[in-house]
């Protein structure tokens, strides 16, 4: 049973959410990983999803991407969300611009790819091979490949986890810029509390197959979140003394 | 020996025989490669085809293909068809096996990425599966070139009326050691040329690959 539903094409751009998940159930055989999960991400909204390793973050993201079947509930998502994985997944046999334009239906694919690569600071490497890139550069190309499709929903599964701390901070700035320019709804899966605080409009913590905690409005600093509180929610430090 | 070569070349018979041999090799190679690649693609993609084809192919493969020569002669007689068939037989298996292997080895994560990017099945094959399988397929081509050559030598040694092998056998009758050595040298040169072709293909088609391509 595949409950992936395409959005109404008549939906105006500003209004309407980028994705709505209701009572989602996802199991591997008899092992239920996601149970009655509800989630709604607006257009242009940046949501970070935290949760301890193995709690089902990737499973949720794959379901949203339409990569796996679901066993219950409903997902209303754009026909083709863009995904950036932890590994860059560049095709080693294609030049950078061919990688970025993979699956792009539009004419002038090379020009569109060139623009996207320029946006991530690699506009002078169109014809280079992926093997000549550093980890951070490769991940930037993966971001360009995702954004060139003009997605309404951008799914990021720990895309910076393998990068060194300095590169990661640069990537944060880049992502913030790109999202501001393109305004997709974003779900960023991460295990990095500081990354979530730095980037998200809203932070979710996943536990026992559902959203267990939510914190809203951060980027303007209006409702600062306590790092300790988040770490408590993640079960890293004890929530209250005694 | 060089003088022998010139004399034979001047008479036109050397070039003629060389042409005949090359033509046989090319025809056999083309047929064998087409059959091997087709079967390989079928089995690589479809479990049904694998169940139907793979076991029988693996069984036939266990026979050294030269052992089939007497049978081939009974079926096709001693002529062009028999020689081309033997070459094709030797070429089919390395191409088949390496095509299947190459398709199986394509990174499933890249296939998944193709789906995420919205590629059709045909685009998936053209953009991801074929290039991913290409290193293995070219390894098959390299092996196939070697077996094609071996098959041709054997086939031409048995009852040929033309070709390099015939030249050698003919020379044996008249104890012309120089001509025999010449034919061996020619076989060697063509082997080297075949290897150069394989290398060229690898450099062109695997330019992206750190182990094959020229750096750029
Ligand atoms: N293909 C699979 N088959 C069976 N179990 C799986 C599969 N993928 C993930 N799981 C299980 O589902 C749970 C959630 O995994 P995952 O979503 O990858 O966690 P996270 O991304 O939060 O670290 C884990 O316990 C994992 O063992
Ligand atoms: Mg994960």
């Amino acid at each position: 049973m595949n409950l992936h539903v395409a959005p109404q094409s008549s939906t105006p751009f500003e209004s309407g959410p980028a994705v709505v998940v209701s009572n989602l159930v996802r199991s591997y055989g008899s092992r239920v990983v996601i149970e009655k999960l509800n989630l709604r991400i607006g257009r242009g909204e940046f949501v970070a999803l935290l949760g301890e390793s193995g709690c089902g973050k990737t499973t949720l993201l794959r379901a949203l991407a339409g990569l796996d079947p679901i066993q219950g509930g409903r997902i209303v998502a754009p026909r083709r969300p863009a995904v950036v994985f932890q590994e860059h997944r560049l095709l080693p046999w294609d030049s950078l611009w061919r990688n970025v334009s993979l699956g792009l239906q539009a004419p002038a694919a090379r020009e569109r790819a060139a623009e996207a690569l320029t946006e991530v600071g690699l506009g002078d490497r169109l014809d280079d091979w992926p093997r000549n890139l550093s980890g951070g550069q490769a991940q930037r190309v993966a971001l360009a490949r995702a954004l060139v499709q003009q997605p309404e929903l951008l799914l990021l599964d720990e895309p910076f986890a393998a990068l060194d701390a300095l590169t990661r901070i640069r990537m944060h700035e880049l992502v913030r810029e790109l999202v501001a320019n393109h305004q997709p709804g974003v779900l960023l899966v991460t295990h990095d509390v500081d990354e979530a605080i730095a980037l998200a409009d809203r932070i979710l913590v996943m536990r026992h197959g559902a959203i267990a905690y939510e914190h809203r409005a951060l980027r303007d600093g209006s409702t600062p979140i306590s790092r300790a509180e988040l770490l408590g929610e993640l079960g890293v430090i004890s929530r209250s003394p005694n | 020996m060089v003088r022998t070569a010139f004399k034979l070349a001047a008479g036109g018979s050397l070039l003629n025989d060389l042409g005949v041999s090359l033509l046989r090799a090319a025809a056999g190679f083309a047929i064998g490669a087409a059959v091997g690649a087709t079967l390989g693609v079928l089995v690589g993609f479809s479990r049904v085809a694998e169940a139907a084809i793979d076991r029988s192919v693996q069984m036939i493969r266990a026979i050294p293909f030269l052992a089939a020569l007497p049978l081939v002669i009974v079926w096709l007689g001693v002529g062009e068809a028999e020689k081309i068939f033997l070459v094709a037989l030797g070429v089919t298996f390395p191409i088949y096996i390496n095509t299947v292997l190459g398709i199986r080895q394509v990174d499933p994560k890249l296939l998944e990425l193709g789906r995420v990017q919205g590629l059709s099945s045909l685009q998936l094959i053209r953009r991801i599966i074929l290039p991913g399988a290409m290193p293995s397929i070219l390894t098959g081509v390299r092996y196939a070139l070697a077996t094609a050559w071996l098959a041709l030598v054997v086939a031409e040694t048995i009852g040929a009326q033309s070709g390099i092998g015939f030249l050698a056998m003919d020379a044996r009758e008249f104890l012309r050691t120089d001509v025999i050595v010449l034919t061996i040298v020619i076989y060697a040169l063509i082997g080297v040329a075949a290897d150069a072709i394989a290398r060229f293909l690898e450099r062109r088609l695997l330019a992206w690959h750190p182990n094959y391509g020229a750096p750029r």
Side-chain angles (χ1 to χ4, degrees), chain A residues 53-109:
Chain A
S53 179
C55 77
K57 302 182 297 295
T58 295
T59 303
L60 172 63
L61 184 133
R62 291 178 56 84
L64 296 188
L67 287 172
D68 295 331
I70 63 179
Q71 282 71 45
R74 191 177 160 81
I75 297 173
V76 181
R79 194 176 55 82
R80 187 129 65 74
V83 186
V84 177
F85 299 95
Q86 182 168 340
E87 331 83 43
H88 54 71
R89 300 201 189 182
L90 298 181
L91 305 180
W93 45 81
D94 274 341
S95 63
L96 297 193
W97 82 263
R98 295 263 299 165
N99 263 288
V100 168
S101 64
L102 184 71
L104 199 60
Q105 302 296 344

Side-chain angles (χ1 to χ4, degrees), chain B residues 2-198:
Chain B
V2 175
R3 209 173 325 126
T4 312
F6 272 117
K7 226 184 294 168
L8 284 170
S13 75
L14 178 62
L15 284 183
N16 188 42
D17 282 320
L18 183 61
V20 167
S21 287
L22 285 179
L23 212 61
R24 282 173 187 152
F29 189 91
I31 294 170
V35 173
T38 307
L39 290 180
V41 167
L42 281 177
V43 170
F45 281 115
S46 141
R47 297 279 148 194
V48 180
E50 178 178 13
I53 300 173
D54 195 51
R55 179 160 307 199
S56 29
V57 174
Q58 294 296 347
M59 255 156 61
I60 298 172
R61 189 176 77 100
I63 309 164
F65 74 97
L66 291 177
L69 182 59
L71 193 61
V72 173
I73 291 178
V74 171
W75 278 343
L76 300 173
V78 177
E80 285 311 298
E82 160 256 343
K83 290 173 184 56
I84 291 172
F85 183 87
L86 201 67
V87 173
L89 195 64
V91 166
T92 302
F93 295 107
I95 299 276
Y96 166 80
I97 287 160
N98 286 283
T99 303
V100 174
L101 204 69
I103 292 173
R104 290 279 155 77
Q105 279 170 346
V106 173
D107 184 354
K109 288 185 168 179
L110 294 185
L111 291 175
E112 188 175 85
L113 173 89
R115 279 175 61 206
V116 164
Q117 298 294 115
L119 299 192
S120 66
S121 305
L122 213 68
Q123 287 173 315
L124 216 56
I125 292 171
R126 221 170 50 77
R127 293 295 301 272
I128 298 181
I129 295 171
L130 272 186
M134 196 51 78
S136 179
I137 292 174
L138 287 184
T139 302
V141 168
R142 193 184 267 269
Y143 272 104
L145 283 170
T147 36
W149 215 226
L150 183 64
L152 192 71
V153 173
V154 172
E156 286 192 339
T157 304
I158 296 164
Q161 261 66 62
S162 58
I164 300 295
F166 160 76
L167 203 61
M169 284 299 115
D170 200 41
R172 194 200 54 178
E173 299 264 308
F174 300 100
L175 298 173
R176 290 288 305 273
T177 317
D178 53 344
V179 178
I180 295 174
V181 170
L182 176 67
T183 61
I184 292 172
V185 168
I186 289 174
Y187 274 134
L189 286 180
I190 296 177
V192 169
D195 206 56
I197 292 172

Side-chain angles (χ1 to χ4, degrees), chain A:
Chain A
M1 177 169 53
N2 191 350
L3 291 173
H4 225 74
V5 181
Q8 315 293 350
S9 55
S10 59
T11 315
F13 183 78
E14 277 88 0
S15 69
V19 63
V20 179
V21 179
S22 30
N23 292 320
L24 176 66
V25 178
R26 174 83 180 101
S27 51
Y28 296 104
S30 62
R31 223 176 95 77
V32 178
V33 177
I34 294 177
E35 195 163 22
K36 304 259 173 199
L37 183 142
N38 292 291
L39 172 67
R40 183 188 180 90
I41 300 176
R43 300 271 166 87
E45 187 184 21
F46 200 128
V47 174
L49 179 66
L50 292 166
E52 67 182 57
S53 179
C55 77
K57 302 182 297 295
T58 295
T59 303
L60 172 63
L61 184 133
R62 291 178 56 84
L64 296 188
L67 287 172
D68 295 331
I70 63 179
Q71 282 71 45
R74 191 177 160 81
I75 297 173
V76 181
R79 194 176 55 82
R80 187 129 65 74
V83 186
V84 177
F85 299 95
Q86 182 168 340
E87 331 83 43
H88 54 71
R89 300 201 189 182
L90 298 181
L91 305 180
W93 45 81
D94 274 341
S95 63
L96 297 193
W97 82 263
R98 295 263 299 165
N99 263 288
V100 168
S101 64
L102 184 71
L104 199 60
Q105 302 296 344
R110 191 184 154 101
E111 280 69 38
R112 291 272 301 278
E115 280 170 32
L117 279 167
T118 306
E119 252 192 302
V120 299
L122 291 166
D124 55 344
R125 307 281 294 266
L126 292 192
D127 296 310
D128 211 344
W129 297 117
R131 72 160 190 260
N132 296 333
L133 300 180
S134 70
Q137 289 171 330
Q139 211 51 312
R140 267 146 67 191
V141 176
L143 269 174
R145 179 180 59 195
L147 286 169
V148 81
Q149 311 261 356
Q150 306 277 0
E152 293 167 44
L153 179 62
L154 175 61
L155 303 169
L156 308 169
D157 192 0
E158 311 206 24
F160 316 129
L163 305 179
D164 65 89
L166 218 71
T167 308
R168 194 154 54 216
I169 291 169
R170 288 215 193 87
M171 291 295 280
H172 289 169
E173 273 166 38
L174 177 67
V175 163
R176 211 174 328 188
E177 238 173 73
L178 292 173
V179 168
N181 290 343
H182 294 264
Q183 290 286 312
V186 182
L187 181 69
L188 168 70
V189 167
T190 177
H191 59 239
D192 182 344
V193 171
D194 297 311
E195 182 168 287
I197 293 175
L199 291 174
D201 302 317
R202 187 151 58 103
I203 295 177
L204 308 174
V205 175
M206 193 172 169
R207 201 161 46 226
H208 306 308
I211 305 299
Y213 171 90
E214 174 168 351
H215 190 282
R216 187 177 276 282
L218 305 149
R219 264 195 299 196
D220 57 355
S222 57
T223 322
I225 187 168
S226 126
R227 197 166 178 277
E229 188 186 342
L230 260 184
L231 289 173
E233 284 298 331
L234 289 165
V236 180
I237 53 178
S238 71
R239 228 161 303 168
S240 57
N242 90 31

